[in-house]
Amino acid sequence: MTLLASDDTRPLTLRDVSEASGVSEMTVSRVLRNRGDVSAVTRERVLSAAKSLGYVPNKIAGALASQRVNLVAVIIPSLRNMVFPEVMSGISAVLEETELQPVVGVTDYLPEKEERVLYEMLSWRPSGVIIAGLEHTDASRAMLKASGIPVVEIMDVDGTPIDSVVGISHRRAGRKMAQAILKAGYERIGFLGTKMPLDHRARKRFEGFTSALAKGGIEIADQQFYSGGSALAKGREMTEAMLRRDPDLDFLYYSNDMIAAGGLLSLLEKGIDIPNQIGLAGFNGVELLEGLPRQLATMDACRTEIGRKAAEIISQRVNTPDIDLPKVVELTPKISYGDTLRR
């Protein structure tokens, strides 16, 4: 099977799949449209070649002279997580000043679902793609590389982008929070967060956090992970379970603000002195939580600005394909100490 050179960024055609699979363009067309009588062996050869190349059939071929529609595919893990609506607001604010329109696909943090969503969205030949994260399946990476359109990965710069990337360094964010906690004099620290295999950004914050603690001569005293959405009830449950196991903990670091808020409310109900007896910190800087009895220590993830910057890159490259723009746009989050982290 002959594959295209990795630096060939032109849009793929039926001819490319035909040459890679060794069958005619007509047969390739029949297989990809699921039409006609084609043997199982031939069908498998065609589908394997198409997947290896990253080829996505064009559902609007011949319908538009430009072969593109004024849509920007935005692929995110969740709409229930408050982080991503703010990203979308930044994207929409920029694109509404252009002819481009965002269309959203949700992956539920599942790589295989991301692959399916990406396949369907690319089949409509959008003008650009904005996609959360840097970790994708081989097939998704192949489709993005072969799409021939601007691709901006967002939220995370700790890795190698396919095209362009806008985000923060989550490892650096974890290190900065650990350094602030150590400077405040806390020593027995627990970590509470989502299960890491699918939440790569939380994993990187945890890695940065633990590496900075280690440099300060401190190890995580306890840790607990969960599956599911970021919920106040889950934060309460995890916090109470951790303190039953180790009542001498003096700081709890949560992977997001929602579970941190649940922990805060639980501790306040028990009359625990915050931040002197126990300190707390979350991540994301969710504005909804500003009405809590105590202002939670957290770190702003620059969500709206990430959305704006990503949309600006797409818009500029659609209008001026040869424009020279930075491949990596790294934003710098800031710690908000609130009322739960000593200074």
Side-chain angles (χ1 to χ4, degrees), residues 36-183:
D37 185 16
V38 181
S39 72
V41 172
T42 300
R43 183 177 299 278
E44 179 57 33
R45 285 176 62 187
V46 171
L47 292 176
S48 177
K51 184 171 184 177
S52 297
L53 291 171
Y55 179 82
V56 178
N58 185 351
K59 291 183 177 178
I60 59 166
L64 296 173
S66 67
Q67 295 291 288
R68 297 287 172 207
V69 294
N70 288 334
L71 298 176
V72 175
V74 181
I75 301 173
I76 57 178
S78 173
L79 285 172
R80 291 180 293 179
N81 187 328
M82 294 181 193
V83 168
F84 294 104
E86 291 190 36
V87 174
M88 287 303 308
S89 71
I91 293 171
S92 297
V94 170
L95 294 186
E96 69 183 10
E97 303 298 325
T98 73
E99 294 183 350
L100 300 170
Q101 292 289 333
V103 57
V104 181
V106 178
T107 70
D108 296 320
Y109 291 94
L110 299 174
E112 299 80 8
K113 186 171 181 182
E114 179 184 88
E115 191 177 307
R116 295 195 301 272
V117 169
L118 182 61
Y119 182 93
E120 287 301 321
M121 296 184 99
L122 287 178
S123 72
W124 291 100
R125 293 304 189 261
S127 293
V129 175
I130 297 173
I131 186 167
L134 291 161
E135 288 77 19
H136 316 285
T137 66
D138 290 343
S140 290
R141 293 185 67 85
M143 285 188 282
L144 289 166
K145 286 181 177 180
S147 65
I149 57 177
V151 174
V152 182
E153 292 162 288
I154 59 171
M155 311 307 293
D156 183 10
V157 299
D158 294 320
T160 304
I162 291 167
D163 185 3
S164 299
V165 63
V166 179
I168 67 170
S169 167
H170 287 265
R171 289 194 178 95
R172 187 172 295 116
R175 289 197 299 269
K176 286 177 66 175
M177 184 59 79
Q179 290 161 0
I181 292 167
L182 292 175
K183 186 176 180 180

Side-chain angles (χ1 to χ4, degrees), residues 1-5 8 10-29 32 42 45-50 52-53 55:
M1 183 182 297
T2 302
L3 301 183
L4 294 178
D8 190 346
R10 66 178 176 79
L12 295 170
T13 65
L14 283 179
R15 177 174 294 180
D16 295 314
V17 182
S18 170
E19 292 174 354
S21 61
V23 303
S24 70
E25 289 183 45
M26 182 175 294
T27 301
V28 170
S29 177
L32 296 178
T42 300
R45 285 176 62 187
V46 171
L47 292 176
S48 177
S52 297
L53 291 171
Y55 179 82

Side-chain angles (χ1 to χ4, degrees), residues 130-283:
I130 297 173
I131 186 167
L134 291 161
E135 288 77 19
H136 316 285
T137 66
D138 290 343
S140 290
R141 293 185 67 85
M143 285 188 282
L144 289 166
K145 286 181 177 180
S147 65
I149 57 177
V151 174
V152 182
E153 292 162 288
I154 59 171
M155 311 307 293
D156 183 10
V157 299
D158 294 320
T160 304
I162 291 167
D163 185 3
S164 299
V165 63
V166 179
I168 67 170
S169 167
H170 287 265
R171 289 194 178 95
R172 187 172 295 116
R175 289 197 299 269
K176 286 177 66 175
M177 184 59 79
Q179 290 161 0
I181 292 167
L182 292 175
K183 186 176 180 180
Y186 298 102
E187 296 181 341
R188 290 195 54 77
I189 300 163
F191 179 85
L192 305 90
T194 57
K195 287 190 176 178
M196 301 302 181
L198 296 179
D199 192 341
H200 297 287
R201 292 174 289 284
R203 171 181 56 80
K204 292 172 186 178
R205 285 198 303 279
F206 182 67
E207 291 169 355
F209 185 73
T210 53
S211 69
L213 290 184
K215 286 185 178 179
I218 300 291
E219 291 186 8
I220 289 283
D222 196 3
Q223 51 192 296
Q224 186 167 340
F225 305 96
Y226 76 102
S227 299
S230 306
L232 291 172
K234 181 59 69 174
R236 282 176 173 270
E237 174 189 321
M238 295 170 70
T239 300
E240 291 165 6
M242 182 170 284
L243 290 177
R244 281 195 299 270
R245 289 196 302 269
D246 192 340
D248 294 328
L249 293 173
D250 63 7
F251 200 92
L252 302 177
Y253 179 45
Y254 300 80
S255 68
N256 62 65
D257 285 346
M258 294 303 292
I259 55 172
L264 173 63
L265 292 172
S266 174
L267 296 176
L268 288 175
E269 287 176 3
K270 291 175 172 57
I272 292 176
D273 182 3
I274 301 170
N276 296 313
Q277 185 178 348
I278 297 181
L280 306 172
F283 181 82

